[in-house]
């Protein structure tokens, strides 16, 4: 994991270097970030140099309109909202319970976000939300777990965004107990085996 100098984003890092079952996650394949509307001119230059093939924006339509991404009109941007304004308000619940509800009740949305990474054109994929912690944290944790990154390193990556790593480990334990693991969860939620295999290949091959 390497923090990126993307002024004025505060939570951008390349996940390259993490060990995985199929081999080390390659640098320049997967980046997680907070809201890209914060990018200053120097940040835009840095993003341009990163060779991005897809921006996976997990924010709601309201957030996208209110905090407009500089890539809003760029065909590389794909908006995959994980929460909808019409969903029940879970903001008063603890983080684990919020994440559990997201995974259990809106599994197709979560799988669509992971598939958006898998199906991206060759190049680097950026996954972002508002703070780059919760929605991005869930999608990235599932992606890392899928390719076989050790749990303690998934927790360390999640914790680097300012939350307790035990929360994401507890969530992955829930996925394993309830669905038989991340791969089974994603396959049951709309992803194909070809897409999941392709995701492993694009990140480690």
């Amino acid at each position: 994991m390497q923090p990126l100098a993307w002024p004025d984003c505060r939570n951008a890092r390349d996940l390259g270097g993490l060990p995985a079952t199929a081999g080390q996650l390659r640098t320049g394949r997967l980046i997680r970030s907070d809201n890209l509307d914060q990018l200053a001119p120097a940040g835009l230059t840095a993003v341009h140099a990163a060779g991005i093939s897809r921006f996976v924006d997990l924010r709601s339509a309201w957030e996208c309109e209110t905090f407009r991404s500089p890539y809003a009109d760029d065909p590389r941007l794909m908006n995959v909202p994980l929460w909808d304004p019409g969903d029940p308000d879970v903001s008063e619940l603890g983080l684990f319970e919020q994440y559990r509800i997201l995974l259990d009740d809106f599994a197709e949305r979560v799988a669509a976000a992971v598939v958006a990474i898998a199906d991206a054109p060759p190049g680097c994929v950026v996954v972002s939300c508002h703070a780059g912690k919760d929605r991005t944290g869930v999608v990235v944790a599932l992606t890392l777990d899928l390719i076989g990154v050790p749990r303690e390193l998934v927790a360390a990556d999640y914790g680097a965004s300012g939350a307790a790593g035990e929360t994401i480990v507890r969530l992955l334990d829930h996925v394993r107990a309830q669905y038989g693991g991340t791969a089974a969860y994603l396959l049951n939620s709309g992803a194909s085996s070809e897409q999941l295999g392709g995701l492993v290949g694009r990140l480690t091959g």
Side-chain angles (χ1 to χ4, degrees), residues 96-203:
F96 168 75
E97 193 62 17
Q98 292 183 39
Y99 298 171
R100 185 199 63 75
I101 291 170
L102 177 63
L103 288 182
D104 290 349
D105 295 355
F106 305 106
E108 293 82 4
R109 300 178 191 175
V110 176
V114 176
V115 165
I117 304 171
D119 286 349
C124 184
V125 176
V126 177
V127 181
S128 66
C129 55
H130 189 74
K133 177 176 73 71
D134 298 316
R135 289 166 287 187
T136 297
V138 169
V139 170
V140 167
L142 291 175
T143 301
L144 296 181
D145 191 59
L146 177 72
I147 69 173
V149 174
R151 292 285 182 91
E152 64 271 16
L153 296 182
V154 177
D157 171 62
Y158 173 79
S161 294
E166 307 88 70
T167 302
I168 210 69
V169 171
R170 187 180 173 195
L171 187 73
L172 293 176
D173 286 342
H174 170 74
V175 172
R176 179 175 292 175
Q178 190 73 17
Y179 302 99
T182 295
Y185 169 79
L186 293 171
L187 289 170
N188 289 334
S189 306
S192 69
S193 57
E194 291 77 15
Q195 288 168 325
L196 298 189
L199 179 58
V200 174
R202 78 172 293 133
L203 295 182

Side-chain angles (χ1 to χ4, degrees), residues 9-13 32-34 131-133 160-161:
C9 288
R10 301 174 181 84
N11 196 14
R13 58 186 177 277
R32 59 179 295 167
S33 180
D34 47 336
K133 177 176 73 71
S161 294

Side-chain angles (χ1 to χ4, degrees), residues 37-51:
D37 82 320
Q38 303 171 105
L39 286 169
L44 292 169
T45 299
V47 173
H48 178 74

